[in-house]
Structures are given as C-alpha cells and as structure tokens.
Amino acid sequence: MSPHPLKQAIGPFALTRTLVWLRLCAIAGQSMAVMVCSWWMRIDIPEIPLLLGIDLLAVFAVFAAWRISQPWPVREWETVCHVAADTLVLSYLLYYTGGASNPFVTLLLVPIALSAAALSVPAVLSVASIAGLAYLTLLRWYVPLPMNELRDSDHGYSLHVVGMGVNFAISALLLGFFINRLATAVRLQQLEVQRVRERALRDEGILAIATQAAGAAHELNTPLSTMRTLLPELRREHATDTVLNEDLELLEDQVERCRTILREMVAFGKAQLSQEPEQISLQAFIHGFVERFKLLRPEAELELLVPAALEPLRLHTPPGLRHALINLLNNAADASALRASQHVALEVRRDQRWLEWIVRDHGPGFHPAGHTASIGQSDKQSGLGIGLALAEATAERLDGELIAANTDSGAEMRLRLPLSVITQH
C-alpha cells in the first residue's frame, strides 16, 4: 500500500523525491564544470577521477529514482542514507578540486537546509554531522588546484571570486526553489488538516441531530398513535358538523403523514446500519424520490431533464442518496418561493466517469453574487439549515462533490458522483 497523501506531502518521501531532482541537476552541473575547466580554461585537473565520481552519482540517481517509484514507504533513516551518499560524492569531487578552499564547498550546507524543512531534529543533526565531518576532512586532505601557470597575474584570485559568485547563485536558486516546494507542501497539509477538522465538526453536529431525531421519533410514536385512535371517534361523535368533520379529516391525513415520515426514518436508519446499497434502474430511482418530493411539496413545479439513454442505467445506490436529492430539491423550492416562483429543475447528466445531479431554482442565489458561491451562503431564511450539510456529507462519503454556483435565474447545486461507486457492476 502506498503512503497516505498527507504523509507524502512533506517528510522523508518529499525530501527523497526532491533529492532525486536535485541530484539530476548536480550531475548536469558537475559534468559541465569539469568540461569547462578542462577543455576551455585548460586547467590541469584530474579529469578521469572526477568523471568517475560523477558516473557513480548517476548510477545512484537511477537507483534513487527507481526506489521512490516503489509502493513501500520511505523511512527517515533511508533519506539520511541518500543524503550521506550525495555528501560522499560531493566530498570526493571537492577532494580533487582544492578541498575546503574550493568555493563550491558551501554546497555541503544545501542538504542540511533541505533536511531541516522535512525531517526530525535527530535526523537533521545526523545530516549536519555528516556534512561537518566532510568539511573537516577536506580542510586536512585534498588535492590542490594546479594554478602555477596563472601565478604571473591575479587571474587565480579572479577565478576564486567568480567561483564564489557562481556558487552563491546556485545555492540561492536551489534553496529558494526546493525549500519553497517543501513549504508549499506544509501549507497544503495545514489546509487539508483544517478541512478534515471542519468536516469532523460538521459530522459531529449531524450525528447529534440524528441522535435527537431518533429519540424524537421514538417519543412521537405514542402521541401520534393516540391521535390516530381519537380522531375517528371525534368524527363519529360530530358527524353532523360538516366543517368540523373536514378539519378532523385533514388532521387525520396529517397524522398519517407524520407516521409515514417516522416509518421512513426508521427504515432509513436500518438501511444505514446495514450499509447495503439498493439495486435499481435510474428511471425507477428518479421516479421514487420525485414522487416523494411531490408529496412533500405539492405546490412545486418540477421540471425533469433526463436523457432517454440514461434511464436504463442500473444504479447501486447507497443509503442517503435519495434523501440528499430530496433535500436539494426542497431547498430549491424554498429559494424559488422567495421570489414568488414555484419552478424547480432537476437535470441528470453523464460526464465521462461522473453522474451529475443538477438542481436549479429561481431564487435570489448565493452570496457573494457572481458565478460561484459557497455552500450555506444563500438568502434562504427558513429551515433548519442542515439540508445542504447533509447533502455535502453524502457526496463526500461517496467520493463525490457538491458544487454551488449562481446562474442568471437563480442558484444551481451540482451533485457529482463517480459512476464506479453508484453503478452496478
């Protein structure tokens, strides 16, 4: 199993992957430096040993690139070993080019800076110890640069100054670019942690509401049963009162409707606990929850847009999807009512590997006014305010997404679900 994305974003894996790219840049730069010094500037440097060290680094680079492509996680000690190998090769090259007097010796600080941004304190201390030991060794043992032919002028000093300038530019570019990548990974991780925390708080609130609803459903069953028994008796006792009979009949219908809602709540809870998806055609599924919505909102004018080619599609619908769509339609009807409209539209569309459920209304839309909006920032004043939260939670549970947007006539809620999750295989 591959590492979790959050763990890949920063840490040993991120640093090891950064070192792979940095190593490729080092191979190209070192090869160019050897050729320039030996062929263009005619400096008598040990060309063969230097190219041999660069070749060894290239072999290790191939191994490191293969290693990070493997599924098993990269441990911190392994990253330290990679840094040690790079430091060893760089020290080998510096040994043949003046040791600590070489202006490029400060490149030994680059692995320390990168490790400080991605590894633990003990690992950073290990990397610093390796680099410090390499520097102390190069102070004592090294092959001096052959500058005898340049002693008749100050050209040797000029080369050292130029080398320091080039080294500064390389160090600045490497540290700026790669540390920025690591810092960006840290910020993305913090944003993801914040999003997960907000989702946990939202789910905790939904769970609390569900618990209260379950208790309320259990307690309401007794008074509803009592009213269901008494209302027919009242109608018989006042059979001659036409107006009262009509009111009592309406009350009976409302009590029966409440009992039906409670039974559906219990059935939905059992389905959630069983986690057994419902196998049904798209046409039958849409017909079921649309009929339910029409019972809840008989005044709404629902426009249904479903391509004929999608109707035979077999769905493997998990519990909660039907109620999420009813919530979206109910919210759309409330939004349209704010502008004295009863029109609500539901469009079903297939977008490659996604199945989209698009609900549109003729209401005032979301804030801020524009083409995009945030969930929960509409002008709707009524309701409990959890319909969209429940729909969003359902979308996330099914690896989908809920997108809110404004249109020319109102607002649009787009529920996108992957076909691999909700279709029958």
Side-chain angles (χ1 to χ4, degrees):
M1 182 178 295
S2 60
H4 191 274
L6 284 179
K7 296 181 179 179
Q8 291 185 12
I10 185 168
F13 179 86
L15 179 56
T16 305
R17 183 176 54 190
T18 299
L19 290 175
V20 169
W21 293 105
L22 183 60
R23 201 173 291 119
L24 295 177
C25 297
I27 293 172
Q30 292 163 359
S31 302
M32 185 179 299
V34 170
M35 290 187 292
V36 168
C37 292
S38 179
W39 298 348
W40 181 53
M41 302 181 66
R42 303 295 181 180
I43 300 177
D44 187 18
I45 58 176
E47 184 178 343
I48 300 301
L50 292 175
L51 292 177
L52 178 61
I54 296 173
D55 291 340
L56 290 176
L57 184 61
V59 172
F60 181 74
V62 173
F63 165 77
W66 169 84
R67 169 62 187 90
I68 64 172
S69 65
Q70 302 306 304
W72 56 84
V74 177
R75 305 296 182 185
E76 197 169 59
W77 63 265
E78 188 177 353
T79 303
V80 174
C81 291
H82 283 225
V83 174
D86 293 330
T87 304
L88 180 62
V89 173
L90 179 59
S91 301
Y92 171 83
L93 298 177
L94 291 171
Y95 170 80
Y96 283 103
T97 54
S101 62
N102 190 318
F104 290 96
V105 72
T106 55
L107 289 177
L108 291 171
L109 297 175
V110 173
I112 301 176
L114 295 177
S115 300
L119 301 181
S120 63
V121 174
V124 174
L125 292 177
S126 300
V127 172
S129 300
I130 295 171
L133 181 61
Y135 183 81
L136 292 175
T137 303
L138 292 172
L139 283 173
R140 178 66 179 83
W141 293 281
Y142 61 92
V143 176
L145 288 172
M147 302 298 293
N148 293 333
E149 65 276 15
L150 301 175
R151 286 178 180 175
D152 55 345
S153 68
D154 63 345
H155 192 56
Y157 175 76
S158 299
L159 283 177
H160 186 81
V161 173
V162 170
M164 291 176 62
V166 174
N167 175 58
F168 176 82
I170 292 175
S171 300
L173 289 174
L174 292 178
L175 293 177
F177 178 72
F178 288 106
I179 290 184
N180 178 262
R181 288 185 60 184
L182 292 173
T184 301
V186 172
R187 289 192 294 268
L188 292 176
Q189 184 187 35
Q190 291 175 343
L191 290 175
E192 179 65 18
V193 169
Q194 181 180 357
R195 193 172 71 89
V196 171
R197 185 184 297 113
E198 291 175 354
R199 185 189 304 175
L201 291 174
R202 182 205 63 195
D203 292 345
E204 183 179 350
I206 292 175
L207 179 61
I209 294 173
T211 304
Q212 293 293 331
H218 178 73
E219 295 177 6
L220 286 174
N221 188 56
T222 299
L224 287 175
S225 298
T226 302
M227 286 188 286
R228 186 169 180 265
T229 302
L230 293 178
L231 286 173
E233 296 182 2
L234 290 174
R235 289 182 61 190
R236 286 194 297 269
E237 293 177 1
H238 303 276
T240 57
D241 193 337
T242 305
V243 177
L244 181 59
N245 264 271
E246 291 177 355
D247 293 340
L248 293 175
E249 184 179 1
L250 177 60
L251 285 176
E252 282 189 79
D253 293 339
Q254 295 300 315
V255 168
E256 193 61 35
R257 180 179 175 183
C258 291
R259 286 173 54 85
T260 301
I261 293 174
L262 291 179
R263 286 195 296 267
E264 288 184 354
M265 288 177 59
V266 173
F268 175 69
K270 291 180 179 179
Q272 287 281 69
L273 292 175
S274 66
Q275 293 297 317
E276 294 182 359
E278 178 185 12
Q279 299 181 12
I280 190 174
S281 68
L282 178 64
Q283 182 182 15
F285 176 73
I286 294 175
H287 177 77
F289 77 79
V290 165
E291 289 300 316
R292 172 65 181 151
F293 171 70
K294 289 180 178 180
L295 288 175
L296 292 173
R297 306 296 294 265
E299 76 283 0
E301 300 173 2
L302 178 61
E303 179 184 2
L304 192 60
L305 303 172
V306 183
L310 289 181
E311 291 182 354
L313 183 67
R314 298 293 298 179
L315 297 183
H316 205 58
T317 60
L321 178 57
R322 177 181 288 106
H323 287 265
L325 292 171
I326 292 177
N327 282 333
L328 293 179
L329 289 173
N330 192 52
N331 285 340
D334 290 339
S336 294
L338 293 176
R339 287 189 171 176
S341 173
Q342 305 297 336
H343 187 268
V344 176
L346 171 64
E347 179 181 0
V348 182
R349 180 191 303 170
R350 181 170 183 172
D351 181 17
Q352 296 180 355
R353 60 187 184 90
W354 297 88
L355 188 65
E356 297 183 342
W357 307 80
I358 306 171
V359 178
R360 300 186 182 92
D361 62 54
H362 287 258
F366 292 89
H367 290 307
H371 294 290
T372 60
S374 300
I375 293 176
Q377 295 180 340
S378 69
D379 279 336
K380 179 182 174 183
Q381 302 295 329
S382 59
L384 298 177
I386 63 173
L388 292 182
L390 291 171
E392 187 180 22
T394 300
E396 292 178 353
R397 189 171 64 251
L398 301 178
D399 298 327
E401 57 185 353
L402 183 63
I403 304 173
N406 286 329
T407 63
D408 295 336
S409 58
E412 173 184 285
M413 298 299 302
R414 187 184 300 262
L415 178 62
R416 287 167 52 88
L417 302 175
L419 285 169
S420 58
V421 174
I422 63 171
T423 55
Q424 184 178 1
H425 299 284

